[in-house]
C-alpha cells in the first residue's frame, strides 16, 4: 500500500434521507480523528454534489465542524446539509471534455480523495469517475458510500437511511391502525408507501405486529403482481372479521401484465378518473374500493416525511451511518478505491454486522428486490422471517436537541 | 353542595387525538386517587361513546387500570382507547323515547356522573343530556371535557390534543423544509393541513421559525380570503429570493366569494381536473401552480398522522390533558354539572394556566377562529405574536415506551 497525501472532497447526491448527514458527519469525524494517518490535509464539502464541484463551490468542513456540538447537530439534521443534485455523468468517450474539466478541478485543489454519499445513480457517478481516473496518471482514491431509504442497492445487506425510514413507517402505521380502530363502521384505509421497484419500505409497515400484535391486514409489494379482483376478495374476507381494514401498498405495484396500478386504470379497464397525473397508487385503489365495496375509504400517502422524519430516526441506523462514513476515510487512506462501502450482516439474533466494501461497477444500476421468502404465498403480506430480519435495523431511539418544543437543525 | 353517591361513566367521542387517552387516564386517576371524596363507587367506560352506552357495552375502568404501568401506556397510546362515535343526539321534544332509554340505563347502573371527552359535536351531546336530566328527578352531574386537534372550541384558551398536533405539524414542516432545500432547482412544495373552519393547526406550521429561523414562506388560513392571482404573485416574488418555496395551507381556505378552493375550480373558472372528489386543496393548488409557473410542484397532505402521531406528542399537552381529566372528577363531585372543563391561560411568558369550567350550552356548535392579530396584513402568514402565543403548547417531549424500536400501545 502506498501513502497518498492530499486533500479530500465529500458530496451528497440523490434523494435526502434521515441518515445522510450522519454519514457526512462520519466522514468529517474520520478526518478529524485522523483515521487516515496523516494522509488527508483538508476535507472539502461540495455543495449540491457533483454540480457544485464543477462550479468549485467548496467549503472547508474540518473548520466548520471543529466543535462536537455541531457534529452532533449535523448527525440529527434531516436531508443533505451540503445540498444534493440528480445529475447523471456523461459517457466518457462521448464527452471527455467533461471529465478533463473535473480532473482540472481535482488538480487545482490537490484533491486525492473523493467520497460520494448516494444511492444507485450516485454509484454510477462513482463508477464512471473511477473508470476515468484509472486511466489517467493523477492518482486518486474514489469511494462510494451508500445511502437510500429504498434499501435497493445490491452488494450490501442494507443501506444507511433505510432503517430510519422503516422505523418512521412502522411507527406511523401503528398509529394509523389505532386511529382507524376507533369507529365501529366498515372502512378501508390505504397507506401508500415509497418504493417504485423494491418493496422494502412497504414491508416495514408490518414491523409493529411483533410488538403490539397488530399490523396492516394486507401488504402489497412491487415484487408480487397485483390483482384488483383478488384485492376486493381479500377486503371482503377481512371485513367479516373486523370493520377497520388497513392496507399498506407500495407506490410501484403492478398488474400481472406489467402496467403500474398508478397508471390510473382499474383492473377492469375502466378509466377511474380524468387527470392521470393525479393518480397515485393509493388514490387509484381508494376510488376502486369505493366503487366496489361502497364503504368509507381513505388513502394516505406518507410522502416526504418517510425520508426526512429525523425526530424518529433509528438509533441503529444513525450509528451505522456515522460508522460507515468514518470507515470510508480509513479504507481510502489504506489504499481502497473504486469501491462502495458496504454493511455485512454477521447475525440477526443477536444483531451483528461489520463494514466492508465491494466493486462499485457491480452495484450501479442494479436493484435489490425483497427476498422471495419474505413474502407470503398469497402475495398479500410479509412473513415473520421478514419481520425478524428487519427489526434490528429500526432498533433504538435518537434524542435530537429540542428548543421550545422544536428539533434544532443545523443549516450550512 | 350536596354529596351525590353513585357510579360514573366516561366516554370518548368524535375524532381521535394524541391526548384523548391522556384525559381518559386523568379521569381514571381522579377516581382511583379519590378526588371525589368517596362519591364515586365504580367508573365505567362506554365503548364507542354514546352508542356503546345505549347498547350497555360498559367496562370497569378502575379494575382494568389498577396498575400505574397500564395508565402510563394509556396516556401515550394514540386515538380513543374506548372507541368513539359520531352520533348527534336527537331533539328532546321530537324523540323523548331516546332520552328515556338513556335514563333507564343510568338508573339501571346507578350512574350519577357522566364524563364525555370530545369536541364541538360532543359538547352538543353534553348540552342536550344536561337539558334533559335537569328536568327529571334523577340527579346527575354531567361534564364535558374538551379535546380536539382543531382548537376551535370557544370558552377555553385551547383544547387538549391541539398542542400535540401542533408540535407534529411544526416539526414535520421543519423537516420538509430541510428536505426541500437540498436541490438548487426552482420548486414549490405545498403542505395541506387539517382545519376546515379554523386555521390554528396551519398556523402551527410557523413555529419552527422561532428556533431554526426558517418557516413556510407562505401560510394561508381559512380566516383570510384566498386569491389565486395573489398566490402566484407571492410565489414569483419569493422565487427571486430562493428556489425552494414551501407553502402551508389549510384544507378549508376559500375564495373571497366563499367557495372552497378544494371545490376543484381554479380562480380563473377553469376546471382543473375531472374527478371533483379527488380535489384536496393541496392538489388543486399543485395543479394550478404547475400550469402557471411551470416549475416542479409537489403537494403533501399531512393527513391522519396530524391527530395520532403520539410519538411526537407535546409533553405540555399530555400533562394538561391528564390534569383536566382529574379535575373534572373533583369538580363533578363538588357539585359542578352542565359545564365543560376549560383551560384558562394566566400568562404566556412564563406560561401559566389553570383549569376552570364554563356553561356547555354557550360552547356547543360555535367555532373559535384564529385571532385577527395573529394573521399578517397580507393574509399570507402569521405574526410573531401568534408564534409566541402557540409555543408554550408544544413544549416538552414525551418518552413513550419502545420495544424493539416500536412504541408500545395499549389495546383494550
Amino acid at each position: 500500500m502506498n501513502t497518498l497525501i492530499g486533500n479530500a472532497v465529500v458530496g451528497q447526491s440523490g434523494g435526502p434521507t434521515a441518515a445522510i448527514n450522519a454519514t457526512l458527519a462520519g466522514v468529517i469525524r474520520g478526518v478529524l480523528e485522523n483515521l487516515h494517518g496523516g494522509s488527508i490535509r483538508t476535507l472539502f464539502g461540495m455543495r449540491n454534489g457533483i454540480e457544485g464541484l464543477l462550479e468549485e463551490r467548496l467549503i472547508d468542513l474540518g473548520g466548520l465542524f471543529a466543535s462536537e456540538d455541531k457534529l452532533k447537530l449535523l448527525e440529527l439534521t434531516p436531508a443533505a446539509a451540503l445540498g444534493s443534485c440528480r445529475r447523471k455523468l456523461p459517457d466518457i468517450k462521448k464527452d471527455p471534455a467533461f471529465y478533463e474539466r473535473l480532473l482540472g478541478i481535482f488538480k487545482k485543489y490537490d484533491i486525492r480523495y473523493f467520497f460520494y454519499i448516494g444511492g444507485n445513480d450516485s454509484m454510477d457517478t462513482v463508477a464512471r469517475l473511477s473508470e476515468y481516473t484509472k486511466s489517467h496518471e493523477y492518482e486518486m482514491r474514489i469511494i462510494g458510500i451508500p445511502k437510500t431509504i429504498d434499501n435497493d442497492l445490491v452488494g450490501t445487506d442494507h443501506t444507511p437511511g433505510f432503517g430510519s425510514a422503516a422505523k418512521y413507517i412502522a411507527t406511523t402505521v401503528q398509529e394509523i391502525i389505532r386511529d382507524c380502530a376507533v369507529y365501529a363502521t366498515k372502512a378501508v384505509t390505504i397507506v401508500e408507501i415509497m418504493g417504485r421497484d423494491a418493496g422494502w419500505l412497504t414491508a416495514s409497515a408490518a414491523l409493529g405486529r411483533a410488538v403490539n400484535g397488530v399490523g396492516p391486514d394486507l401488504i402489497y409489494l412491487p415484487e408480487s403482481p397485483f390483482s384488483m379482483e383478488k384485492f376486493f376478495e381479500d377486503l371482503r374476507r377481512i371485513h367479516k372479521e373486523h370493520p377497520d381494514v388497513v392496507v399498506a401498498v407500495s407506490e410501484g405495484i403492478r398488474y400481472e401484465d406489467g402496467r403500474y396500478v398508478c397508471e390510473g386504470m382499474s383492473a377492469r379497464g375502466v378509466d377511474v378518473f380524468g387527470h392521470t397525473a393525479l393518480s397515485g397508487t393509493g388514490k387509484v385503489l381508494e376510488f376502486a374500493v369505493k366503487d366496489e365495496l361502497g364503504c368509507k375509504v381513505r388513502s394516505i400517502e406518507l410522502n416526504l416525511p418517510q425520508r426526512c422524519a429525523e425526530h424518529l430516526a433509528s438509533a441503529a441506523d444513525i450509528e451505522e451511518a456515522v460508522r460507515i462514513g468514518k470507515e470510508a476515510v480509513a479504507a481510502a487512506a489504506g489504499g481502497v478505491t473504486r469501491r462502495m462501502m458496504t454493511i455485512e450482516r454477521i447475525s440477526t439474533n443477536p444483531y451483528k454486522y461489520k463494514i466492508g466494501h465491494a466493486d462499485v461497477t457491480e452495484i450501479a444500476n442494479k436493484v435489490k428486490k425483497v427476498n422471495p421468502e419474505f413474502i407470503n404465498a398469497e402475495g398479500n403480506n410479509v412473513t415473520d422471517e421478514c419481520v425478524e430480519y428487519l427489526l434490528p435495523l429500526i432498533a433504538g431511539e435518537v434524542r435530537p436537541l429540542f428548543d421550545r418544543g422544536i428539533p434544532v437543525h443545523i443549516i450550512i
Side-chain angles (χ1 to χ4, degrees), chain A residues 70-125:
Chain A
K70 280 191 176 178
L71 275 170
K72 282 237 164 76
L73 272 184
L74 179 63
E75 282 171 13
L76 294 183
T77 292
L82 289 173
S84 184
C85 70
R86 285 195 186 278
R87 177 156 185 163
K88 200 170 164 68
L89 260 51
D91 189 276
I92 297 173
K93 281 177 195 142
K94 282 186 189 153
D95 192 357
F98 176 90
Y99 291 89
E100 281 157 28
R101 203 173 131 209
L102 267 182
L103 188 62
I105 293 165
F106 290 143
K107 287 180 176 171
K108 177 175 172 184
Y109 291 93
D110 190 27
I111 289 168
R112 298 287 180 171
Y113 294 89
F114 180 93
F115 301 102
Y116 213 45
I117 314 167
N120 227 311
D121 295 337
S122 313
M123 291 312 136
D124 181 71
T125 297

Side-chain angles (χ1 to χ4, degrees), chain A residues 9-17 19-25 27-28 44-52 61 74 77-87 114-119 122 145 147 412:
Chain A
V9 69
V10 58
Q12 297 171 304
S13 171
T17 79
I20 186 168
N21 283 337
T23 296
L24 175 62
V27 172
I28 299 171
F44 293 110
M46 51 183 119
R47 306 307 301 247
N48 298 108
I50 204 85
E51 283 187 359
L61 288 173
L74 179 63
T77 292
L82 289 173
S84 184
C85 70
R86 285 195 186 278
R87 177 156 185 163
F114 180 93
F115 301 102
Y116 213 45
I117 314 167
S122 313
I145 314 178
K147 74 83 217 165
I412 59 174

Side-chain angles (χ1 to χ4, degrees), chain A residues 144-410:
Chain A
I145 314 178
K147 74 83 217 165
T148 166
I149 61 165
D150 292 321
N151 197 35
D152 60 352
L153 284 180
V154 301
T156 183
D157 179 73
H158 57 276
T159 54
F162 168 68
S164 294
K167 187 184 185 84
Y168 175 81
I169 290 164
T171 298
T172 301
V173 166
Q174 284 292 303
E175 293 172 336
I176 288 171
I177 287 172
R178 292 267 48 77
D179 189 292
C180 294
V182 304
Y183 296 116
T185 45
K186 256 189 195 180
V188 176
T189 303
I190 298 158
V191 185
E192 180 189 323
I193 296 167
M194 285 180 174
R196 198 84 185 162
D197 299 307
W200 294 106
L201 290 170
T202 306
S204 311
L207 296 181
R209 80 181 188 213
V211 172
N212 293 315
V214 289
D217 298 289
L218 298 163
I219 298 180
Y220 297 103
L221 312 185
E223 283 81 357
S224 303
F226 182 81
S227 152
M228 196 69 89
E229 293 305 327
K230 181 68 173 51
F231 177 45
F232 294 150
E233 273 173 41
D234 286 342
L235 290 175
R236 286 198 182 91
R237 177 176 46 78
I238 299 163
H239 263 159
K240 284 179 192 152
E241 293 159 24
H242 58 98
D244 48 324
V245 178
V246 176
V247 182
V249 60
S250 283
E251 57 179 339
I253 54 167
R254 306 176 198 209
Y255 298 115
E256 190 82 55
D257 63 10
R259 278 177 309 125
Y260 283 107
V261 171
C262 67
E263 280 170 40
M265 306 287 284
S266 87
R268 289 156 302 176
V270 187
D271 194 351
V272 179
F273 45 77
H275 205 302
T276 53
L278 267 181
S279 44
T281 304
K283 277 286 170 208
V284 170
L285 296 183
E286 175 187 328
F287 280 88
V289 175
K290 236 173 222 166
D291 279 355
E292 180 73 19
L293 270 68
C295 65
K296 187 184 162 195
V297 190
R298 185 196 285 267
S299 67
I300 301 172
E301 195 185 340
L302 291 189
N303 217 312
L304 291 193
Q306 285 166 91
R307 67 184 197 194
C308 64
E310 190 76 47
H311 69 273
L312 194 61
S314 150
D317 184 33
I318 297 299
E319 187 195 298
E320 289 182 1
V322 172
R323 192 169 149 202
I324 202 169
K326 287 172 76 163
E327 297 216 10
V329 171
V336 172
T337 184
R338 294 187 287 279
R339 310 280 285 180
M340 183 186 83
M341 303 302 293
T342 60
I343 299 170
E344 297 170 24
R345 185 186 297 232
I346 297 163
S347 65
T348 291
N349 203 353
Y351 176 63
K352 285 184 191 166
Y353 73 98
K354 63 175 180 168
I355 304 293
H357 42 78
D359 184 351
V360 73
T361 60
E362 296 291 310
I363 290 163
N365 309 313
K366 288 178 186 168
V367 172
K368 189 179 75 176
K369 304 251 182 193
V370 173
N371 311 12
E373 70 271 22
F374 288 174
I375 303 170
N376 71 352
E378 296 79 21
N380 62 10
N381 215 319
V382 299
T383 61
D384 289 343
E385 196 182 346
C386 178
V387 171
E388 288 307 311
Y389 173 83
L390 293 176
L391 273 174
L393 311 184
I394 68 162
E397 290 68 56
V398 295
R399 296 269 177 264
L401 175 67
F402 278 80
D403 177 13
R404 280 166 287 168
I406 301 276
V408 181
H409 294 158
I410 195 162

